[in-house]
Amino acid sequence: MAARRSLTALTGVVVLCLVVTACEDHALGTIELRTGRETVETLSDPSVDGCHRFREGVAHVNNRTLNDIILYTTPDCTEPRGGQSVYLTTGTSDDAVRSTGLWRSFSVVH
């Protein structure tokens, strides 16, 4: 009986490790994008690698992933001269400011 419990526990640990390892390359959760009051797009489990371009400029972003993200007004995740990016922590949201323009891309912090 003890051997069966040990085998069950070991199997559970192996499965858990596989799940955690498989999820390392994605930010688990969703990012909700809006222009004005309507939801434009919802991104699920975005990759933690590279720059992610929005289909159109968005005015409001809800970060409901387990990772922080960085928002950019450029389509290629770069900061324009005199501009800045915005660091958006897990479970928070941000509205684009009129003077800086709409959000056009983001990258995931990992």
Side-chain angles (χ1 to χ4, degrees), residues 78-91:
T78 59
E79 292 184 17
R81 260 180 222 229
Q84 63 182 9
S85 58
V86 168
Y87 192 94
L88 194 59
T89 58
T90 299

Side-chain angles (χ1 to χ4, degrees), residues 23-76:
C23 297
E24 284 180 359
D25 59 343
H26 289 85
L28 296 178
T30 59
I31 297 173
E32 182 183 89
L33 315 170
R34 294 193 319 233
T35 57
R37 294 181 190 256
E38 73 179 63
T39 298
V40 175
E41 187 176 4
T42 299
L43 305 171
S44 295
D45 304 328
S47 170
V48 297
D49 295 323
C51 179
H52 303 277
R53 186 175 183 176
F54 299 135
R55 284 188 284 184
E56 60 184 281
V58 296
H60 184 86
V61 177
N62 283 324
N63 180 12
R64 295 185 176 135
T65 68
L66 298 178
N67 295 71
D68 297 346
I69 62 174
I70 302 174
L71 299 170
Y72 301 90
T73 56
T74 59
D76 59 354

